[in-house]
């Protein structure tokens, strides 16, 4: 059932709700360039045992896309505020909070800002601990888009242009996926119909313009002895074939989480909810 949340900072979130009312609550957070439908294969695997809420984050899908100061309204903490508001509005109590890509960072922010609302986390990269490894030539060859998204030129070239949106999104869904996964044309069509609306692409990259991308965050990352650690039990699904986040970058997880377990998704690329939905769902159910 498609719904709209009460506003937080003037932003309403679109969300779907599935499953069993009163069952253990689960909130699933999507990535870029995606939307709440990224979890279309996970939800059917968990909705007979959980109460599942799947929102579009600020600037995505059916959620509000206000043209405001991005550093204040589209940052990780601002996105987390909307998720916290939704959890409270629906009276979900402590939830299993799962996310990948942007959704992973937002979930981590929720766990730090409001730990009493998080029963457990299920996360895929990005995770803390990359540090200055993001400055290697190989990493910079992958993270070029985050600097590009800072430029007004990105929106000028792509926003509102369906052909440009299609080719830009196709690049990432092809390059970031594992060797056995191809996004079906009809699914790409649905994403393009969303991202090609006037203002939609510009809103989707407000996350990066707010300085919330991995490169900026890694370079400002606090050393472990000063970091605010996450205490919620955390399962990390690290894909073997994600070109941005090599598995070797999982070596510092225990510096930032007090209770963390690492699981390798051997056949998956970046889009774990779609590439390894069963593994993702099993960890959500275990923590529910």
């Amino acid at each position: 059932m498609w719904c709209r949340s009460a506003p937080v900072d003037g932003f309403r979130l679109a969300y779907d709700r599935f499953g069993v009312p009163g069952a253990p609550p689960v909130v699933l957070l999507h990535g870029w360039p995606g939307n709440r439908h990224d979890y279309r294969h996970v939800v059917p695997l968990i909705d007979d045992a959980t109460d599942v809420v799947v929102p579009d984050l600020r600037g995505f899908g059916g959620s509000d896309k206000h043209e405001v100061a991005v550093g204040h309204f589209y940052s990780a903490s601002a996105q987390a505020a909307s998720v916290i508001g939704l959890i409270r509005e629906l009276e979900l109590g402590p939830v299993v909070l799962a996310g990948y890509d942007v959704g992973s960072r937002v979930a981590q922010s929720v766990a730090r800002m409001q730990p009493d609302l998080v029963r457990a986390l299920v996360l895929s990269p990005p995770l803390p601990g990359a540090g200055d490894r993001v400055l290697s030539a190989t990493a910079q060859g992958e993270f070029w888009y985050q600097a590009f998204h800072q430029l007004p030129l990105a929106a000028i070239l792509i926003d509102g242009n369906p052909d440009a949106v299609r080719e830009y999104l196709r690049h990432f869904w092809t390059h970031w996926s594992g060797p056995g996964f191809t996004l079906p044309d009809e699914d790409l069509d649905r994403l393009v119909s969303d991202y090609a609306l006037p203002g939609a692409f510009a809103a989707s990259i407000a996350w990066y313009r707010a300085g919330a991308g991995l490169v900026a965050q890694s370079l400002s990352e606090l050393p472990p002895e000063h970091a605010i650690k996450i205490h919620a039990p955390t399962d990390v699904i690290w894909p073997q074939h994600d070109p941005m986040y090599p598995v070797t970058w999982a070596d510092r997880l225990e510096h930032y989480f007090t209770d963390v377990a690492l699981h390798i998704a051997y056949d998956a690329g970046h889009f774990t909810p779609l590439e390894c939905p069963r593994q993702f769902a099993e960890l959500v159910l275990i923590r529910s």
Side-chain angles (χ1 to χ4, degrees), residues 22-265:
V26 173
V27 177
L28 306 175
L29 303 180
H30 66 83
W32 183 93
N35 55 31
R36 69 186 191 275
H37 302 298
D38 292 353
Y39 286 95
R40 58 189 174 272
H41 297 323
V42 173
V43 168
L45 299 175
I46 65 174
D47 65 356
D48 61 347
T50 61
D51 182 1
V52 191
V53 176
V54 194
D56 283 322
L57 296 168
R58 293 185 184 187
F60 293 88
S63 294
D64 286 342
K65 305 174 177 65
H66 302 318
E67 294 185 24
V68 290
V70 294
H72 181 72
F73 290 100
Y74 285 98
S75 65
S77 59
Q79 291 279 12
S82 280
V83 175
I84 290 167
L86 181 61
I87 293 170
R88 287 177 169 159
E89 177 186 346
L90 299 180
E91 299 181 346
L92 296 178
V95 303
V96 175
L97 191 56
Y100 85 101
D101 193 82
V102 173
S104 175
R105 285 280 318 288
V106 175
Q108 293 168 55
S109 292
V110 172
R112 290 190 180 95
M113 292 166 61
Q114 206 67 52
D116 59 304
L117 293 182
V118 180
R119 179 194 307 273
L121 294 168
V122 177
L123 305 173
S124 287
L127 279 304
D132 61 6
R133 290 180 287 194
V134 299
L135 296 178
S136 71
T138 299
Q140 285 299 296
E142 296 295 341
F143 289 108
W144 61 269
Y145 69 98
Q146 297 193 8
F148 176 57
H149 288 175
Q150 298 284 343
L151 303 176
L153 183 64
I156 292 170
L157 293 177
I158 299 172
D159 193 83
N161 182 334
D163 291 338
V165 168
R166 178 180 300 279
E167 293 312 310
Y168 197 66
L169 267 58
R170 189 198 305 275
H171 165 77
F172 294 104
W173 278 92
T174 300
H175 180 59
W176 290 352
S177 297
F181 179 83
T182 300
L183 184 71
D185 286 341
E186 58 269 26
D187 291 334
L188 179 60
D189 289 344
R190 281 191 284 269
L191 276 175
V192 171
S193 68
D194 182 359
Y195 275 72
L197 294 171
F201 176 79
S204 82
I205 63 172
W207 167 263
Y208 301 100
R209 292 172 56 222
L214 179 82
V215 175
Q217 289 300 308
S218 293
L219 296 180
S220 62
E221 197 169 73
L222 292 172
E225 61 271 20
H226 298 301
I228 301 173
K229 292 190 176 183
I230 291 175
H231 300 292
T234 301
D235 288 290
V236 170
I237 308 173
W238 206 295
Q240 180 73 42
H241 298 285
D242 188 334
M244 291 184 292
Y245 304 104
V247 176
T248 54
W249 286 10
D251 60 341
R252 300 173 185 168
L253 290 175
E254 293 182 355
H255 295 172
Y256 299 93
F257 299 85
T258 60
D259 182 0
V260 62
L262 176 65
H263 311 266
I264 306 300

Side-chain angles (χ1 to χ4, degrees), residues 2-19:
W2 185 90
C3 303
R4 294 263 288 173
S5 73
V8 174
D9 299 335
F11 284 81
R12 292 179 180 270
L13 300 188
Y15 66 94
D16 293 319
R17 193 169 188 178
F18 308 93

